Amino acid sequence: EQVVAIKLNVPVTMVLPADASRSCLDEFERGKAGIIRVKNSLTKVHSRSAEAFSPEDEAAVKDLIKKTIPGGFEEVDKNIVLFMIQWVGAEMEMHMRSLVQDTIDGLTHSDDVKIPVSSAA
C-alpha cells in the first residue's frame, strides 16, 4: 500500500496495534534514551529486503518499485520513515491531550475546559 501511495503522492495514515502505541509511549517516558531507541527503530527500514507471504507478490512489488518509483527502494524507505514519524507525532499528541484532559478533569472549578482528544481539533 505504501508503494502505491508514494507513487500516487497520496497522504498515508499509519494505523498500528495498540501495543505498538503503548511501546512507543513507554520509550518516550524513559526520556532521551527511549527517544533514541524509537529513532533507531524508525531508521531500520529496508524495503529491498522485505518479504511477502507469497514470493510472487514480493517479486511483483519489488519490480513495481524498481520500475515506477524514482529513487527506488531508497525513496520508499525514506517515505515509510516519514509515515512512521507522522504516526509517532500523532500518538504523542493524543497522549498529551489525554494527560492535559486528565488534569483539567481533576479541577473543581465551574469553568472546566474540554480539550478534544482527536487530532481533528
Side-chain angles (χ1 to χ4, degrees):
E1 296 87 14
Q2 289 88 357
V3 172
V4 173
I6 293 165
K7 181 179 173 192
L8 299 176
N9 198 29
V10 174
V12 171
T13 300
M14 300 295 283
V15 179
L16 292 149
D19 289 349
S21 175
R22 185 69 252 160
S23 177
C24 181
L25 293 174
D26 287 347
E27 288 298 333
F28 271 83
E29 289 175 354
R30 289 184 176 93
K32 186 173 182 176
I35 293 168
I36 289 170
R37 278 191 290 278
V38 171
K39 187 262 309 175
N40 289 342
S41 293
L42 291 178
T43 58
K44 292 180 182 175
V45 175
H46 304 286
S47 58
R48 186 183 309 273
S49 60
E51 298 177 357
F53 178 76
S54 160
E56 294 82 15
D57 287 349
E58 181 178 329
V61 169
K62 289 181 178 180
D63 190 52
L64 180 69
I65 291 170
K66 290 175 192 172
K67 291 180 178 177
T68 65
I69 305 292
F73 292 99
E74 292 77 17
E75 183 68 15
V76 170
D77 293 351
K78 181 183 88 176
N79 278 275
I80 291 172
V81 168
L82 292 174
F83 299 153
M84 294 301 296
I85 289 169
Q86 290 171 345
W87 173 79
V88 168
E91 290 299 315
M92 291 303 300
E93 179 181 354
M94 286 190 307
H95 183 60
M96 182 57 68
R97 286 176 182 274
S98 176
L99 292 173
V100 169
Q101 190 63 54
D102 288 349
T103 299
I104 290 170
D105 289 347
L107 300 176
T108 56
H109 60 80
S110 61
D111 295 328
D112 284 350
V113 177
K114 295 295 179 191
I115 307 296
V117 175
S118 77
S119 61

